[in-house]
Amino acid sequence: MADPKSQSACPTAPVENPVESSSAAPIEADDTAHFSDYDDDGSSQASSTQSLSSSIKEQFYENGRKYHRKTVDEGHKYLLPSDETELDRLDMTHHMALVILDGELHKAPIKGDPHNVLDCGTGTGIWALDFGSIHPGSHVIGVDLAPNQPSWTYPNVVFENDDLEKEWTYKKNHFDFIHSRMVGSAIKDWSKYTKQMFDHAAPGAYVEISEHSMKHIYCDDGSVPEDSVFYAYGNNLSDALLTLGVDVRQFSGSFFKRHLEEAGFVDVQVFTYKVPWGTWPKSKKFKYMGAVCAEILKTGFEAYGLMAMTRLLNIPEDEARGICNGCYKEIMAGKQHGYHYQWYVIGRKPELATK
Ligand SMILES: C[S@@+](CC[C@H](N)C(=O)[O-])C[C@H]1O[C@@H](n2cnc3c(N)ncnc32)[C@H](O)[C@@H]1O
């Protein structure tokens, strides 16, 4: 297990340009915060009540969670669960994204209904469905490794199951908007991924990547100590993913910007947001975000970390679970004022691009 002390305590990373005004300033703590501000009755603890289906053979249980063989056993492509708890968590992260962007579905300056839209790693398909409902003139494809999308869908939204790390079979110069949100724990080769986005984007099309920091927790007031369980968790998660060739340690706004630029996109912009872990901030908006984030992380620490730590680092389940639970307890205690960064990176394919 990685030594949490090898991390410098509580890094306050420089916020990259251009910066939303809300994210540049330190987040001020509410010393009187108590979790009852957004109380929690424990009703959403991890559990699955999904009934048996014909696809049961494609699924298996480990550490009390249900996973898809396709994503885990076939090459450890994606180590998060596929049960109702996780699908609910994904829908909650969609809500968080809406809160971050003040109700908008994207940062790219989309005008009208872009004709062909691709949502990469669509998850439950919630973004694709929302986009399709607001843009009835768009044809939206949501693609994902795992078949976790609803079978009912809007007439202009379709779901496909495929591996985005393989060669894309879509037409070149085709998509008028490509959206990719939170697939960072699974993408090994960002150069190839962004190059495929470029090749399959239509001239003039926008691309948008939204990812969050995973190894580091940040804070502005030194309240996250060097021996915080948050560091043990972040180090273990990033070490585990590294064994698969997924390097989340390098994630930053400029990392994604560089990849989009190297792929050929122009006018690349980075928008950076702080997302507090818990209700400790003073401001109403940050406090609300922190409460939503705590709800997401209640099962999110396990979702990201449990399979990664047990299968890839051979950490005993009890120990791995102890780290995940320790992180959540720390959030509920509200003394450590941590946050993560959420980056939105947009770019445009030049009109005159030949590919
Ligand atoms: C954290 S979820 C995010 C879901 C959705 N983008 C959202 O923001 O609500 C990541 C999704 O990426 C999918 N995924 C991971 N690796 C993939 C790959 N190589 N090809 C296609 N989908 C992949 C997973 O199955 C999962 O549904």
Side-chain angles (χ1 to χ4, degrees):
M1 182 168 115
D3 176 7
K5 292 190 178 159
S6 63
Q7 277 300 301
S8 64
C10 207
T12 304
V15 177
E16 288 154 80
N17 287 325
V19 170
E20 292 297 290
S21 54
S22 64
S23 67
I27 307 178
E28 201 185 340
D30 174 5
D31 295 334
T32 62
H34 183 271
F35 222 90
S36 62
D37 286 346
Y38 290 100
D39 223 336
D40 159 22
D41 63 6
S43 58
S44 70
Q45 291 283 13
S47 70
S48 173
T49 53
Q50 204 162 8
S51 58
L52 292 177
S53 76
S54 58
S55 66
I56 192 75
K57 286 196 186 119
E58 291 169 7
Q59 295 158 352
F60 67 98
Y61 287 79
E62 199 164 304
N63 306 320
R65 301 295 302 264
K66 188 172 77 181
Y67 296 85
H68 267 289
R69 288 201 189 287
K70 213 181 253 177
T71 70
V72 180
D73 279 355
E74 291 171 22
H76 284 153
K77 290 195 181 96
Y78 182 68
L79 296 176
L80 278 72
S82 260
D83 49 25
E84 281 182 10
T85 302
E86 175 62 2
L87 303 188
D88 286 348
R89 191 186 72 81
L90 290 182
D91 286 349
M92 185 70 96
T93 63
H94 179 68
H95 174 61
M96 171 65 89
L98 292 176
V99 174
I100 292 173
L101 296 186
D102 292 324
E104 299 294 330
L105 282 174
H106 49 79
K107 287 298 290 181
I110 302 297
K111 290 195 184 80
D113 294 351
H115 200 57
N116 292 302
V117 177
L118 181 67
D119 183 30
C120 301
T122 195
T124 63
I126 193 167
W127 184 93
L129 288 166
D130 276 4
F131 191 92
S133 76
I134 294 170
H135 298 277
S138 297
H139 178 254
V140 186
I141 298 177
V143 62
D144 201 285
L145 266 183
N148 287 329
Q149 302 72 41
S151 49
W152 56 265
T153 174
Y154 307 148
N156 60 332
V157 179
V158 295
F159 295 114
E160 296 177 357
N161 294 128
D162 215 332
D163 184 350
L164 287 161
E165 292 224 291
K166 294 198 170 142
E167 294 305 315
W168 293 11
T169 52
Y170 303 114
K171 286 187 213 150
K172 297 261 170 93
N173 296 308
H174 179 63
F175 292 107
D176 304 291
F177 182 32
I178 299 181
H179 176 258
S180 168
R181 192 173 70 182
M182 290 186 292
V183 297
S185 67
I187 300 297
K188 297 180 182 68
D189 187 345
W190 280 92
S191 297
K192 181 175 175 188
Y193 185 52
T194 49
K195 189 75 180 72
Q196 300 219 71
M197 286 177 166
F198 186 83
D199 290 346
H200 293 270
Y206 277 96
V207 64
E208 176 162 329
I209 293 176
S210 174
E211 290 295 336
H212 57 83
S213 48
M214 266 187 257
K215 177 176 168 67
H216 299 292
I217 173 147
Y218 299 91
C219 76
D220 295 331
D221 61 4
S223 62
V224 180
E226 279 185 24
D227 61 355
S228 171
V229 67
F230 293 146
Y231 292 127
Y233 179 85
N235 288 335
N236 281 341
L237 178 61
S238 53
D239 287 351
L241 292 175
L242 201 56
T243 67
L244 301 178
V246 175
D247 192 356
V248 300
R249 298 167 312 170
Q250 354 168 40
F251 283 10
S252 68
S254 46
F255 170 83
F256 298 109
K257 180 174 192 275
R258 177 169 60 78
H259 277 292
L260 285 185
E261 285 173 345
E262 285 174 3
F265 290 102
V266 296
D267 298 338
V268 179
Q269 285 179 271
V270 179
F271 301 89
T272 304
Y273 298 86
K274 291 177 179 180
V275 181
W277 289 13
T279 57
W280 57 264
K282 208 170 202 169
S283 101
K284 242 183 172 175
K285 179 167 179 184
F286 275 130
K287 192 183 282 291
Y288 181 74
M289 282 168 77
V292 175
C293 187
E295 190 61 27
I296 291 167
L297 289 174
K298 184 178 195 175
T299 60
F301 286 120
E302 271 189 23
Y304 276 95
L306 213 46
M307 184 66 93
M309 286 194 256
T310 57
R311 278 220 184 181
L312 304 177
L313 298 184
N314 294 319
I315 294 177
E317 184 190 331
D318 282 359
E319 193 182 324
R321 212 178 270 289
I323 295 170
C324 297
N325 291 341
C327 287
Y328 183 65
K329 272 191 197 141
E330 210 54 79
I331 286 180
M332 298 306 282
K335 301 282 181 248
Q336 298 188 15
H337 301 158
Y339 60 86
H340 70 258
Y341 281 117
Q342 186 80 35
W343 300 290
Y344 288 80
V345 189
I346 63 170
R348 187 174 53 78
K349 181 165 174 172
E351 292 287 352
L352 296 176
T354 48
K355 252 206 144 189

